[in-house]
Amino acid sequence: MGQNDKRPRGGDTINANLKRVYDEALQEDIPDRFKDLLAQLKAQDSEKESGGETSK
Amino acid sequence: MSNPDPRDELVDHLPAMRAFAMSLTRNSATADDMVQDTLVKAWTNIDKFEVGTNLRAWLFTILRNTYYSSRRKAKREVADVDGVFTESLSQKPDHDGRLQMADFRTAFAQLPDEQREALILVGASGFAYEEAANMCNVAVGTIKSRVNRGRAKLAELMHLNDDEAMELTDDATMAVVAARVNGALR
């Protein structure tokens, strides 16, 4: 970032709103489906690793 | 130096991925589907991620590519936008933060995808123009112009142009702006 932009007030309002919209979305709770999905992907991988390589 | 598996870090980026997806799709159900696709793609292609580079940027890139390719498939089928288009803009600038937020959301949702994306990447997620340009696979100048056009459109939709009146020199424009300001102010 570093660059300080000197924008008219309209620009400040837009920046503030942008950040607010984004931050509000950031603060939403993460649905369980994503953690479940990650756990599932992880389980699949460890299965592949331990359950023998695909024979060629 | 330990070498952490970037896959273990995916979970940390979920809130940002959802926030970015929401701003692109403007619909929470579509956004979550997009995030799900992105997670699977990231997981299965993790070997393509260069350790030491920005994981969030990599994830956002996958996410936006997913979005644009599905949009191409849908061929501009009008998305269900969580009702944002049903509200109309209020007539005047308002000091009530909530009302202004509602106006902003409505205005923001009307921008072209590419402008919304550039504004979120640069204006809200803190990516540099160069990073955003890489993620969107366009020139830095293109990102800058998307950001500027997006800002200008938002200012117009939210009636924020008033304070730019001071910079205008053209008399006719001044008159129009003055009339608008007078009409708009409480």
Side-chain angles (χ1 to χ4, degrees), chain B residues 52-129:
Chain B
T53 61
N54 190 329
L55 181 58
R56 178 160 302 174
W58 189 69
L59 293 170
F60 276 25
T61 306
I62 299 176
L63 201 148
R64 69 174 297 283
N65 290 346
T66 304
Y67 175 66
Y68 286 108
S69 69
S70 80
R71 187 186 71 168
R72 242 173 281 129
K73 265 178 237 154
K75 286 242 171 197
R76 290 266 44 135
E77 161 195 332
V78 178
D80 168 23
V81 179
D82 280 356
V84 279
F85 286 125
T86 58
E87 306 168 40
S88 64
L89 290 172
S90 76
Q91 292 306 301
K92 53 180 184 176
D94 202 294
H95 286 241
D96 181 77
R98 264 204 350 221
L99 191 51
Q100 194 191 60
M101 249 325 245
D103 277 2
F104 179 81
R105 285 183 191 282
T106 309
F108 191 56
Q110 290 177 40
L111 297 183
D113 290 345
E114 286 79 2
Q115 291 177 18
R116 266 201 332 278
E117 172 178 70
L119 283 169
I120 284 291
L121 290 177
V122 173
S125 333
F127 285 107
Y129 282 111

Side-chain angles (χ1 to χ4, degrees), chain A residues 9-10 15 24 33 45, chain B residues 7 36 43 105 151 163:
Chain A
R9 246 180 307 143
N15 286 342
E24 272 180 23
R33 64 186 270 201
D45 273 14
Chain B
R7 287 178 301 186
Q36 169 145 353
W43 189 279
R105 285 183 191 282
R151 277 190 206 283
D163 40 0

Side-chain angles (χ1 to χ4, degrees), chain B residues 46-58:
Chain B
I46 201 73
D47 53 310
K48 297 195 181 97
F49 172 68
E50 279 177 55
V51 179
T53 61
N54 190 329
L55 181 58
R56 178 160 302 174
W58 189 69

